[in-house]
Amino acid sequence: MKKRNVLKWIIFGIAVAINLFILANSFVTGDASSIESSAVVNTTAGVINNLSPGSVTNENLESFTGFVRKLFGHFGLFAVSGLFSTWAIYLFSQEYKINYFLYIGGVSLVAGLAIAWLSETIQLFMPGRSASAVDVLIDFVGYFIGVLLVIFIFFLAKKPIFSKTKQE
């Protein structure tokens, strides 16, 4: 098996795993989600307070918790999802000669919006959870940033704008 073919399936597997992780976490109850978030918040607060003592205090812990949940749990996770999902779509589309950036980005963005919407919709049916249009937007913006990053990197790889060319 060619190295490129192996890479394609590894990237696809990572993309599927991330998206399944997102959807699986939508099925977690509010209490369990809060416990998971607390671990991330406490670790993040510890790192920040080591770098800048007293930055995260009891007075600002609630707003800090909300910020961390949105940054890591929504924006960050969906940015990683967008990156790997778009990369997988790019690698698979090369085989069919349809590796145009607009096609790749468009297909990936539709998938990202569907996952964001589905993950929030699932939460409507979980005890202690709710759905939020703002969370769908944050998820989608994170995913969009991942898509843009992949498209930008592969655009630069196909168009060597930084190389020296003979001027005529």
Side-chain angles (χ1 to χ4, degrees):
M1 195 182 287
K2 293 180 182 178
K3 287 181 183 179
R4 188 153 183 88
N5 202 26
V6 171
L7 175 67
K8 175 172 60 175
W9 285 103
I10 290 171
I11 298 304
F12 176 76
I14 293 170
V16 168
I18 292 167
N19 289 309
L20 287 176
F21 177 79
I22 289 169
L23 293 175
N25 276 294
S26 298
F27 287 100
V28 172
T29 64
D31 291 338
S33 177
S34 181
I35 290 168
E36 289 174 7
S37 294
S38 293
V40 174
V41 168
N42 291 336
T43 302
T44 306
V47 169
I48 289 172
N49 281 335
N50 280 335
L51 296 172
S52 178
S55 295
V56 181
T57 63
N58 287 336
E59 289 78 31
N60 66 8
L61 186 60
E62 187 175 332
S63 62
F64 180 74
T65 299
F67 174 75
V68 168
R69 287 182 77 139
K70 301 301 182 199
L71 179 67
F72 292 120
H74 289 275
F75 181 86
L77 190 54
F78 272 85
V80 173
S81 172
L83 190 142
F84 280 99
S85 297
T86 305
W87 191 1
I89 291 168
Y90 175 82
L91 291 173
F92 275 91
S93 70
Q94 284 185 319
E95 186 173 311
Y96 300 105
K97 307 278 189 255
I98 51 173
N99 55 354
Y100 300 103
F101 297 118
L102 288 176
Y103 168 80
I104 294 163
V107 168
S108 190
L109 288 173
V110 168
L113 185 59
I115 293 165
W117 175 81
L118 183 59
S119 67
E120 287 298 314
T121 301
I122 291 168
Q123 292 177 41
L124 283 172
F125 305 100
M126 300 309 302
R129 302 284 299 263
S130 62
S132 165
V134 170
D135 286 351
V136 172
L137 181 63
I138 293 169
D139 296 346
F140 185 71
V141 169
Y143 196 95
F144 183 72
I145 296 299
V147 170
L148 286 181
L149 184 61
V150 170
I151 289 174
F152 180 71
I153 289 168
F154 283 101
F155 180 76
L156 287 180
K158 284 188 165 279
K159 307 284 186 191
I161 60 174
F162 297 114
S163 66
K164 292 182 181 181
T165 56
K166 185 178 178 180
Q167 302 262 341
E168 296 186 82

